[in-house]
Amino acid sequence: MADDQVLRAQKWVNSKYGSVSGYVRCPENGQTGWGTMNSLLMALQHELGISPVVASFGPTTAAKFAALGDIGFEWDKNRNIVAVLEYALWCKGYWAVEPGSEGWFTGVTRDAVESLRSNMGIGGEGVINVQVARGLMNMDAYVVVAGGTDEIRSIQQWLNRGYWNKDAYTIGPCDGIYSRDVQKSLMIALQYELGIAAPNGNFGPGTQAALKSHPVAQGQSGVLVTLFSAACVFNSPTYSADGDAVRTTWRKEGTFDSGLATWVTAFQRFNKLAVSGNGDYQTWAQLLVSMGDPDRKVTGADTRYEITSSRAKWLYDNGTRYIGRYIYDPPGSTLDKEIKPGELQTIFDNDLRVFPIYQDNARKLADFTYTSGYQHGLNAHAQAESYGFNRGTTIYFAVDYDATSEEIASAIVPYFQGVQAALASKGKKYTHGVYGSRNVCSTVSNKTFARYSFVSGMSYGFSGNLGFPIPRNWTFNQIKEYKVTNGSDTFDLDNDAASGLDKGVGSVNDTGGPADSFLAYVQKLYDLAGTYGATGQRRSQLVMEYIRHHDYGDKDLENKLGWWYLIGSYDTGFVDYCDSNGMDVENFFTDPFTGYQLGAPHMMATANAHLLKDQPGTKSDANGGDVGGWAGDLMTFWADWRNSEQEYADPQQFCHDRLAVPGVASTFGFNDLIEDADGYLLARAVRGGKNIVDAMKAHYNGSGGLSRFTSYFNGRWGTATNCKTSAHHALTDLEATLSAAQVRLITLARAALPNDYALLPGGSDKLAAFEQGFADAIVARIGMESRKAETYKSNQQRYLAAARTRAAR
């Protein structure tokens, strides 16, 4: 909305200074913005005798303004300077002077300046000196803005009040937002308190040395504790071992109490630091800069160089366990960074694990569009398959420059939506991760549900790293680049802290074990659930939770749409117990009836959802339990059709061609439907009194798999009409879990929600056709099952005969 006084300022400054050398005209729209503030700043420079003028309050501007002394009530040495300052006050939202009296520093102006100084936190009389002028002639806010908090504003005001008269300090915003400017203010204040000779806001050797000799600990008090607790607030929340957000409050009084120690302990665990609960050097560093202590011992690394046998041995001997390597080198590149033939086996032979990275330029804004993301997703899928990477592997797509928040929203997020769509179109064999600044990683993860974040922490000067906490889903944090000397061999390496969320890849071209192998694995988990202390149905539930917790265990506290919200939490204590007993998630196994590779995490997420939430009493309805299986897959498939509507105008035909069709890669593939059906049937069996092991044995070693689709259809829907109606409820009902899933799986995939689409001309008919297509696909699979039953039975008999022969040997 236009403001009359801002419009007066814009017209005045353009008409008076439009011909000044270097001056840039501002828009005359009555809206405050950088253009208007820069025009006013250039007008001030002209009045100070600077030519040509520039949009920067630099040293020359500061020196010339300081020479004027304090500008206050009835100051009239240069009425144009007073007018510029008053118009700047208008643009800041202060009632600067009675309209028409600009150029006279009146009592109204004095009151406005007093309010400004109070909001800045510095107080004092209503006069403008050089420090106040610098803070006035920009877009910084001094009141809480949307997204800000009173607590952070209190810290900002405290910093300004204590240090604004220091030479190196600039009055910072007091908007309640933790930002790059606030981080720099904190660092300069800390440097003054540490006795640094020339504070500059950089995390240099002098600051590092001073922090090493100034740890803080529980029971201590003083200004360093005040600053330390402020840094803790800026990095809140951190996360507990259970994934719960842990917050802290600012200790303005400067006392390191037990509550702060509790938060620090959680922060240290989350960031993989030595756990002490005290503010040691590594903790200070991790709070202040994105790479933390760059010299700390870490277990990850990445490089563009081939990992030869000697290099692999050096890496292992020096504590590395995870190595990031590139699966693609674009045409024209001179870096030669792509994985070499035989290199993966060399890595595995030396007990190292790999995390794959995809980068195709990715160094400027123009490299990021939805279209390029889709193309890169397809290429990454093909490249990963060519190397034999197993289903479920996370591929990290790079954003290798300092993208601003505006660029992230306009280009980076659409790029990753393209990546997400492309990987989904190839059957969701691989998941996408993101490499970039903290801001890039957090935003992309929240908006496109990137599985993991690989943070470019060593670029600590990036605007996307200053003023942003480390992402909740961080897996690797790149902290230091250096040259390795290994005998006569040298190569460059980036050290990466590893969180353990992504364990990398320890083999490729795995074909998946037969059902017996997987059943033995499930038996081990079931036994561990017993020794863990679980009984009855709870033991089976723990098995489901463990197998699905990596891929379907998100606790997205940002928007409450993670899997914890959709299908419930998992027992982190049991996960730790299994891990400590040498267990790991087995991602897939071979279905003995079809030969398809089944995704165990998806199947167990489906089973877990149906176990926790019984199916609706009316079979034509849908509920939150369905979200973990068919309903969630159908929502994703709806988004897929909406994004393919130019190719498939008929949604029913789209379903016939691509929904659960054997041999066709799809967001709702044949293996997805098998996993949905088996998960449902296993949950029903456990609900009926069987344990998960016996239920799986009956299904995979008995005859359950021969009629899975028929049993699934009869148990869940019963009729095709019920199936179609149930699909309609899943896509359109506003029950809390269904509605949340619709937003997560449809809206954030750049597709219209079915309810909204139905309001368009012909939309209701197409929605009905899509729902009919789903029912058709289920019925078609039942028909296929009937025709193939004898073939499946024959294959199963041969498999069992072979198993008995092996056992006899």
Side-chain angles (χ1 to χ4, degrees), residues 208-491:
Q208 294 173 34
L211 285 171
K212 289 176 182 177
S213 61
H214 288 83
V216 292
Q218 185 174 347
Q220 292 182 351
S221 61
V223 67
L224 284 180
V225 174
T226 301
L227 291 167
F228 179 80
S229 69
C232 293
V233 171
F234 293 157
N235 283 270
S236 287
T238 192
Y239 297 93
S240 70
D242 292 332
D244 292 319
V246 182
R247 300 181 184 276
T248 189
T249 56
W250 182 41
R251 271 65 174 179
K252 180 180 178 180
E253 74 287 349
T255 300
F256 200 129
D257 57 20
S258 60
L260 183 59
T262 297
W263 186 91
V264 171
T265 297
F267 177 80
Q268 290 167 333
R269 284 200 181 102
F270 180 65
N271 286 276
K272 302 304 176 184
L273 306 176
V275 176
S276 66
N278 296 325
D280 54 25
Y281 168 68
Q282 284 196 355
T283 305
W284 267 115
Q286 192 67 28
L287 289 167
L288 295 171
V289 286
S290 57
M291 80 282 195
D293 174 11
D295 297 317
R296 67 188 187 273
K297 292 292 185 182
V298 294
T299 57
D302 68 275
T303 183
R304 68 180 177 88
Y305 288 85
E306 178 183 1
I307 302 301
T308 61
S309 294
S310 63
R311 290 172 178 173
K313 184 179 185 304
W314 185 94
L315 288 168
Y316 188 89
D317 289 346
N318 283 272
T320 301
R321 296 298 180 265
Y322 310 99
I323 182 71
R325 289 288 287 120
Y326 294 86
I327 61 173
Y328 182 65
D329 203 16
S333 170
T334 59
L335 297 178
D336 191 29
K337 60 185 182 181
E338 188 174 332
I339 296 170
K340 301 296 184 293
E343 181 182 352
L344 288 174
Q345 192 58 52
T346 297
I347 292 170
F348 302 148
D349 288 345
N350 284 272
D351 294 327
L352 299 174
R353 301 177 73 86
V354 172
F355 57 98
I357 307 166
Y358 183 92
Q359 181 170 357
D360 189 342
N361 296 313
R363 290 189 172 88
K364 59 183 185 299
L365 178 63
D367 293 336
F368 296 93
T369 65
Y370 179 89
T371 301
S372 64
Y374 194 89
Q375 293 169 345
H376 292 175
L378 293 178
N379 189 35
H381 174 92
Q383 290 292 113
E385 276 205 324
S386 73
Y387 283 111
F389 281 102
N390 302 321
R391 179 176 295 278
T393 299
T394 296
I395 303 170
Y396 294 90
F397 290 79
V399 181
D400 201 11
Y401 83 106
D402 188 14
T404 65
S405 293
E406 292 76 15
E407 291 171 344
I408 295 169
S410 66
I412 307 300
V413 167
Y415 171 87
F416 277 91
Q417 288 172 332
V419 168
Q420 180 186 32
L423 294 178
S425 74
K426 303 304 281 185
K428 299 178 291 188
K429 183 173 184 178
Y430 304 116
T431 59
H432 72 288
V434 52
Y435 167 86
S437 69
R438 290 179 170 191
N439 191 18
V440 165
C441 288
S442 293
T443 305
V444 167
S445 295
N446 287 332
K447 297 297 184 182
T448 75
F449 302 100
R451 185 69 188 91
Y452 297 128
S453 289
F454 176 13
V455 182
S456 55
M458 68 181 180
S459 302
Y460 72 93
F462 273 14
S463 63
N465 279 329
L466 284 170
F468 296 94
I470 195 167
R472 184 184 62 82
N473 66 342
W474 80 275
T475 52
F476 302 102
N477 184 17
Q478 195 177 61
I479 65 171
K480 184 178 182 178
E481 179 182 15
Y482 67 105
K483 186 175 291 292
V484 173
T485 299
N486 179 29
S488 60
D489 179 32
T490 61
F491 63 102

Side-chain angles (χ1 to χ4, degrees), residues 353 390-393 451-452 500-501 503-507 510 518 521-522 525 528 542-553 570 574-576 578-580 582-589 598-605:
R353 301 177 73 86
N390 302 321
R391 179 176 295 278
T393 299
R451 185 69 188 91
Y452 297 128
L501 279 179
K503 300 182 184 301
V505 174
S507 62
D510 290 353
F518 189 75
Y521 163 74
V522 172
L525 289 174
L528 286 171
L542 287 178
V543 172
M544 297 174 186
E545 289 178 6
Y546 182 81
I547 295 174
R548 62 93 170 170
H549 83 274
H550 271 314
D551 291 349
Y552 298 89
Y570 61 85
F574 182 63
V575 169
D576 292 340
C578 290
D579 290 347
S580 68
M583 301 300 289
D584 201 353
V585 174
E586 290 198 9
N587 288 305
F588 54 91
F589 66 99
L598 300 185
H602 178 236
M603 185 178 69
M604 287 301 178

Side-chain angles (χ1 to χ4, degrees), residues 172-191:
C174 296
D175 53 5
I177 300 287
Y178 174 46
S179 65
R180 179 179 187 169
D181 289 340
V182 179
Q183 177 72 10
K184 186 173 181 179
S185 294
L186 176 72
M187 184 73 83
I188 290 174
L190 179 60
Q191 289 172 329

Side-chain angles (χ1 to χ4, degrees), residues 560-561 565-566 635 735-745:
K560 296 294 185 185
L561 294 179
Y565 178 77
L566 295 177
M635 292 174 194
E735 179 268 331
T737 307
L738 290 175
S739 179
Q742 291 160 15
V743 172
R744 174 188 170 102
L745 300 173

Side-chain angles (χ1 to χ4, degrees), residues 645-807:
E645 193 170 2
Q646 287 186 340
E647 180 185 356
Y648 276 96
D650 182 352
Q652 190 169 356
Q653 189 62 48
F654 183 76
C655 292
H656 290 174
D657 290 350
R658 301 188 62 177
L659 201 161
V661 178
V664 175
S666 166
T667 55
F668 197 160
F670 184 55
N671 58 317
D672 291 317
L673 184 60
I674 294 175
E675 292 153 16
D676 289 341
D678 288 3
Y680 169 86
L681 295 171
L682 291 173
R684 299 304 294 176
V686 173
R687 274 184 165 271
K690 285 189 176 182
N691 65 59
I692 186 65
V693 179
D694 290 342
M696 293 190 73
K697 285 180 178 178
H699 188 71
Y700 293 107
N701 282 349
S703 59
L706 292 175
S707 56
R708 56 164 55 102
F709 296 131
T710 302
S711 299
Y712 181 36
F713 179 82
N714 290 337
R716 180 58 189 83
W717 297 290
T719 69
T721 299
N722 283 345
C723 186
K724 178 178 182 293
T725 306
S726 181
H728 180 76
H729 285 299
L731 293 170
T732 62
D733 278 2
L734 297 181
E735 179 268 331
T737 307
L738 290 175
S739 179
Q742 291 160 15
V743 172
R744 174 188 170 102
L745 300 173
I746 298 176
T747 303
L748 296 178
R750 298 166 60 95
L753 288 172
N755 274 328
D756 296 333
Y757 184 80
L759 299 176
L760 300 174
S764 180
D765 291 340
K766 286 198 171 185
L767 174 59
F770 180 85
E771 294 158 357
Q772 184 62 56
F774 170 70
D776 293 345
I778 302 297
V779 172
R781 299 297 82 77
I782 294 172
M784 181 192 74
E785 189 170 69
S786 298
R787 293 190 299 272
K788 297 287 187 179
E790 289 305 317
T791 301
Y792 289 166
K793 188 177 296 184
S794 177
N795 288 340
Q796 177 74 348
Q797 289 170 347
R798 285 199 298 271
Y799 169 75
L800 292 175
R804 285 193 292 271
T805 300
R806 289 194 299 272

